[in-house]
Amino acid sequence: MILNERRDVTAVADDHNASSPLSIHDMTVAYHRRPVLWDIDYAAPEGSLIGIVGPNGAGKSTMIKACLDLVPRASGSVRFHGGTYRAQRRSVGYVPQRESVDWDFPASALDVVAMGCYGRIPWCWPVRRKDREAAREALDRVGMVDYADRQISKLSGGQQQRVFLARALVQDARTYLMDEPFAGVDAATEAAIVTLLRTLRDGGKTVLVVHHDLQTVPEYFDHVVLLNMRIVAAGATAEVFTPENLQKTYGGRLTLLDKAAHVMASGGRR
Amino acid sequence: MTEFFSAVLEHSFLRLAVLMTLLAGVACGIVGTYVVTRRITYIAGAVAHCVLGGMGVERYFQAIYGWEHTHPIIGATVAALIAAIIIGLVTLKAKQREDTVISAVWAIGMAVGVLFIAKTPGYQTDLQSYLFGNILLVSPAEITMVALLDAIVLTLVLLFYKQFQAVCFDEEFARLRGIHVEMYYLLLLAMTALAVVLLVYVVGIVMVIALLTLPAAIAAMFARKLWHTMTGAAILATLFSLGGLAISYEPDLPAGATTIVLAGVTYITVAILTSLSTRRHQPG
């Protein structure tokens, strides 16, 4: 059965796929000796919009963080554009979950976005005029330029999320990893983010998005990774995002599936 | 109050005290802002109490072995730095039981100080001024040391403003952008240690946390940027300690405690007023 599932994985090679923007090989992550991710093999196709989907606790955020060396890997290796994260730092952008920071921090939206430039400013140099201009431009791309000087706690949840996106954009990376950018945002922000993601993809960028809402997956993503500790299936959305695979990913916990598919899938289970 | 102003012109010890409030205010505003935004108030508290250990040891060796040329501020600075580094390494390496370690360092530092002071002949009264501060006893040598500590803090912040900002706001993102998070965190704690030593002279060990955090907390309610908070906090800290000094002078109250009550009452008043005004602006 595991062999069957593996058929869908885009590239399972012994080594890394150097042409892939993100290639994960044999990655296992454990917290306190309990595995959270088990033997992940994946190579993201370049220039695509990829949704990472799975139930709560499936290890979606952990997968992203382990790729970025934020969480230690028990085994396996990760390559971005053929190199380690350290080597490819500038070409990888990250958008964390909005709740991961304290928004009462005394900084303006522009200050936060300018932090995306920190990697390229000399170490004891202040933020330069051209960095502020780049930050303003990034805010413009997410429709937030009018809020540049506002203190970040005075922004709505959706606006804060867009500030985080702008912080990643200002870096002008080739590959973006985003952790639930649609969580708790208003409809206008959701539409703005979708447009932005498509613009990035059309510009040749690869975007991996941890996503929660199954109903919008076919509409938003070209590719999908179904994750529940292991990769259940990965590939083009049309082929992989099937009731059977969802059933395998979510088990009995999935309530969004219609009853017929549910009965069919559980009937076929060994 | 007018008596205070004429006394300042008259007595040099009061002029030194006023100078001290200005110098302490600068460090307090800058470091207090980091302490509040990075939420390390308890670390600052533990470091402050270790200062007693350093001062106690210094005093003891001065009295017993005749170390003539040393000064308690050196012992205090060394002890504060050691405490900051220990706590820093523990909080970075072992994420669990962070609060236990901080409390342990807090109590041990204090206990060491009490033990050494108990065995130091003739210095019992110093304990009182270490714990609750005595800004009126500040010496010109101490002013020089404090100015030096101020200069160190200012230089570090001017050089590494953006790294400290990134580490305080979003440590994970700072790490991803290639900032050496652990190093800047330890540097931040070392800076906190220096500021704590300086503030011990104004309000004493027990009340350092309040003077370090309350001005920054008040300023942060209104500031849009980190350096706005720093400037506001520095002005407020100076005003509180100057105010405490002036108010306490005539009725002969302890200046440190007066300063803290002034800061505390201001903080509570501002907090209540802002929460009332935001409630009025957001009906329902």
Side-chain angles (χ1 to χ4, degrees):
Chain A
M1 187 144 173
I2 285 170
L3 282 173
N4 278 343
E5 287 158 14
R6 278 294 169 75
R7 196 182 49 203
D8 300 322
V9 176
T10 314
V12 187
D14 276 298
D15 225 326
H16 286 285
N17 181 345
S19 66
S20 171
L22 168 62
S23 157
I24 307 172
H25 179 61
D26 197 17
M27 181 172 81
T28 294
V29 177
Y31 282 135
H32 306 298
R33 294 200 200 150
R34 196 176 59 84
V36 190
L37 288 173
W38 190 261
D39 202 12
I40 303 291
D41 271 297
Y42 180 64
E46 181 145 32
S48 48
L49 199 43
I50 303 156
I52 301 173
V53 180
N56 286 330
K60 305 185 293 288
S61 298
T62 307
M63 179 171 146
I64 287 191
K65 289 187 175 181
C67 288
L68 295 168
D69 303 340
L70 289 173
V71 167
R73 293 183 292 270
S75 72
S77 56
V78 176
R79 295 287 178 273
F80 288 96
H81 305 280
T84 60
Y85 176 73
R86 272 176 88 89
Q88 294 291 336
R89 202 189 296 283
R90 285 192 189 191
S91 45
V92 182
Y94 172 56
V95 180
Q97 287 188 14
R98 187 158 50 87
E99 298 81 40
S100 65
V101 302
D102 173 14
W103 290 92
D104 282 332
F105 192 88
S108 67
L110 192 80
D111 290 335
V112 171
V113 176
M115 287 181 199
C117 305
Y118 280 13
R120 56 176 189 251
I121 305 174
W123 63 285
C124 61
W125 218 254
V127 174
R128 301 159 296 186
R129 179 187 294 268
K130 65 175 178 186
D131 302 314
R132 274 194 294 274
E133 273 162 17
R136 201 171 282 276
E137 208 171 283
L139 277 171
D140 196 28
R141 288 180 69 187
V142 295
M144 285 287 294
V145 77
D146 294 339
Y147 299 90
D149 295 323
R150 192 170 287 196
Q151 200 267 322
I152 48 175
S153 69
K154 300 197 168 56
L155 301 171
S156 72
Q159 290 171 331
Q160 290 172 345
Q161 189 63 60
R162 289 197 240 175
V163 167
F164 259 8
L165 280 162
R167 183 177 68 167
L169 287 179
V170 79
Q171 207 189 313
D172 197 25
R174 290 166 71 191
T175 300
Y176 289 92
L177 306 179
M178 304 186 180
D179 201 348
E180 305 234 15
F182 295 108
V185 303
D186 51 289
T189 299
E190 177 142 359
I193 296 176
V194 170
T195 311
L196 177 75
L197 296 185
R198 288 183 179 145
T199 314
L200 286 171
R201 176 204 49 203
D202 297 343
K205 316 276 188 187
T206 309
V207 189
L208 289 104
V209 180
V210 171
H211 194 57
H212 223 88
D213 180 14
L214 289 178
Q215 282 170 321
T216 51
V217 167
E219 187 193 337
Y220 289 174
F221 302 107
D222 324 325
H223 281 253
V224 66
V225 175
L226 290 169
L227 188 76
N228 192 350
M229 208 169 98
R230 301 156 177 272
I231 290 187
V232 176
T237 310
E239 292 162 28
V240 166
F241 198 69
T242 60
E244 290 79 13
N245 280 336
L246 283 173
Q247 176 63 35
K248 279 185 215 156
T249 314
Y250 284 83
R253 277 184 282 175
L254 187 64
T255 50
L256 287 170
L257 275 180
D258 60 304
K259 218 168 182 107
H262 193 83
V263 169
M264 202 177 75
S266 46
R269 201 156 49 183
R270 269 150 278 181
Chain B
M1 204 75 105
T2 43
E3 194 179 311
F4 172 75
F5 291 115
S6 53
V8 168
L9 297 175
E10 205 175 310
H11 304 295
S12 66
F13 74 89
L14 268 180
R15 282 199 293 277
L16 283 182
V18 169
L19 190 56
M20 186 71 196
T21 63
L22 293 175
L23 290 172
V26 173
C28 193
I30 294 170
V31 177
T33 300
Y34 287 130
V35 168
V36 167
T37 55
R38 186 63 176 69
R39 297 176 190 248
I40 49 172
T41 307
Y42 275 94
I43 296 183
V47 168
H49 286 75
C50 286
V51 163
L52 189 73
M55 285 176 153
V57 171
E58 181 88 42
R59 273 295 201 215
Y60 179 79
F61 280 99
Q62 222 175 351
I64 304 293
Y65 298 102
W67 289 10
E68 288 299 328
H69 299 292
T70 57
H71 189 279
I73 199 170
I74 298 168
T77 310
V78 171
L81 285 173
I82 291 174
I85 300 299
I86 290 175
I87 294 172
L89 290 176
V90 167
T91 50
L92 284 174
K93 298 293 169 203
K95 298 277 181 198
Q96 311 99 322
R97 304 205 191 284
E98 190 179 304
D99 53 337
T100 313
V101 174
I102 294 172
S103 321
V105 172
W106 184 308
I108 292 168
M110 192 92 192
V112 168
V114 171
L115 287 177
F116 275 94
I117 288 170
K119 280 290 160 196
T120 308
Y123 283 110
Q124 305 298 328
T125 47
D126 280 351
L127 185 62
Q128 186 86 0
S129 77
Y130 294 157
L131 289 180
F132 305 112
N134 201 339
I135 195 169
L136 298 177
L137 294 182
V138 165
S139 69
E142 282 162 345
I143 292 281
T144 315
M145 293 291 284
V146 165
L148 191 70
L149 295 183
D150 246 355
I152 295 172
V153 169
L154 267 176
T155 312
L156 286 174
V157 171
L158 285 175
L159 283 178
F160 305 123
Y161 179 83
K162 68 177 194 302
Q163 284 91 339
F164 285 137
Q165 168 162 289
V167 169
C168 288
F169 175 64
D170 189 347
E171 198 179 300
E172 221 167 49
F173 193 80
R175 194 186 304 277
L176 288 179
R177 296 275 47 77
I179 293 173
H180 201 314
V181 171
E182 286 81 8
M183 189 187 87
Y184 287 103
Y185 177 64
L186 289 178
L187 201 55
L188 193 62
L189 290 186
M191 241 163 60
T192 309
L194 297 185
V196 160
V197 171
L198 216 144
L199 292 182
V200 163
Y201 283 89
V202 183
V203 288
I205 287 163
V206 176
M207 293 175 283
V208 160
I209 313 183
L211 191 56
L212 197 57
T213 55
L214 292 178
I218 297 171
M221 290 186 212
F222 305 100
R224 277 187 296 117
K225 283 170 171 292
L226 196 63
W227 68 268
H228 292 180
T229 313
M230 290 175 175
T231 318
I235 293 169
L236 284 172
T238 309
L239 285 179
F240 290 146
S241 30
L242 259 183
L245 193 60
I247 293 169
S248 65
Y249 185 73
E250 217 175 303
D252 194 21
L253 295 167
T258 314
T259 300
I260 297 304
V261 169
L262 190 61
V265 168
T266 311
Y267 174 74
I268 291 167
T269 312
V270 172
I272 290 172
L273 287 179
T274 46
S275 80
L276 285 180
S277 78
T278 47
R279 203 166 300 165
R280 208 178 309 134
H281 288 305
Q282 294 171 339

